[in-house]
Amino acid sequence: MNRRDAIKGTAMVLGFAITGSTLSSLLQSCTPEPGLAYTPLLLNDTQAKTLAAIVDRLLPKTDTPGALEIGVDRFIDKLLANAFPPDIQEGFAGGIDTFNQKAKVSHGKDFMKLGPAEQDQVLKTYEENSGPLPGSMWGFSFGEPEEFPFYRMMKELALIGYFNSEKIGKEYLAYNPIPGPYEGCIGYDTIGKNWAE
């Protein structure tokens, strides 16, 4: 089995599982550094800006960092470029184009140029009209969707990138995704956020 087949079989999110080492290396390479420009690996400039606007609206900065501050848009682009086969890459890129086109039809502008209320309306429409991702188990999908599930896949990847980032894990969450030995009677005030170290 060659490397491409191995990645294709084990590292997909759309009904598949990502290996811990792949996810870890991609997450570490996605945190934006101030002043450094980012050149997308898979998406064109308009698609990358649209994706950035979408994830920024889904996970905006509040008292916690926003998706753009964490580099979620870069994570999605890198994951698509490095861990997905060409048909998924093309479907996702085409999904961004369709998403942007629907925003133009309904509101007269590209998604990234809309105001927050209009962006929320576009996202709400997608949320209401997008079906679930196809079911899967152990890397095998139980069916093909009628159309490429761009919105659900994008949302899933955005959440994976955000909640598995080092900054969110170390500074805001208190969850150990890879636990050590079971110790049933340790108070939370004793361990705090030490799990992230």
Side-chain angles (χ1 to χ4, degrees):
M1 173 181 281
N2 65 30
R3 184 174 180 270
R4 182 182 265 311
D5 291 336
I7 289 173
K8 184 177 177 183
T10 62
M12 295 184 205
V13 171
L14 226 175
F16 306 87
I18 295 179
T19 62
S21 59
T22 301
L23 184 61
S24 175
S25 65
L26 286 169
L27 285 168
Q28 289 174 2
S29 67
C30 293
T31 305
E33 294 182 32
L36 288 180
Y38 174 72
T39 304
L41 302 175
L42 175 73
L43 306 173
N44 66 37
D45 190 53
T46 302
Q47 291 167 341
K49 287 178 180 176
T50 302
L51 178 62
I54 294 169
V55 298
D56 187 43
R57 201 67 204 138
L58 287 174
L59 296 161
K61 181 174 181 165
T62 56
D63 54 339
T64 59
L68 294 184
E69 193 176 336
I70 300 298
V72 169
D73 54 331
R74 297 175 184 196
F75 165 78
I76 292 172
D77 179 59
K78 286 183 179 183
L79 186 64
L80 286 166
N82 291 299
F84 286 90
D87 59 329
I88 301 289
Q89 294 173 349
E90 291 166 15
F92 193 92
I96 293 176
D97 292 336
T98 302
F99 182 93
N100 206 27
Q101 187 60 36
K102 287 183 178 180
K104 264 188 202 176
V105 168
S106 62
H107 296 284
K109 295 180 188 175
D110 288 333
F111 182 80
M112 63 188 135
K113 294 178 182 175
L114 297 175
E118 294 168 316
Q119 287 182 338
D120 287 347
Q121 194 170 7
V122 172
L123 290 170
K124 182 179 178 188
T125 301
Y126 259 86
E127 187 68 41
E128 291 170 351
N129 297 322
S130 296
L133 289 172
S136 67
M137 181 182 286
W138 298 319
F140 297 100
S141 182
F142 295 137
E144 294 295 322
E146 291 179 16
E147 62 181 43
F148 189 84
F150 160 74
Y151 179 75
R152 293 291 175 210
M153 181 182 177
M154 179 275 308
K155 193 172 171 185
E156 180 177 356
L157 292 175
L159 293 171
I160 288 170
Y162 187 81
F163 287 108
N164 286 289
S165 68
E166 182 177 0
K167 183 170 183 70
I168 297 300
K170 284 188 173 182
E171 297 177 23
Y172 295 95
L173 296 179
Y175 169 70
N176 186 354
I178 306 172
Y182 175 75
E183 297 179 45
C185 284
I186 297 178
Y188 177 74
D189 56 340
T190 305
I191 59 167
K193 295 186 186 298
N194 288 338
W195 66 268
E197 297 300 324

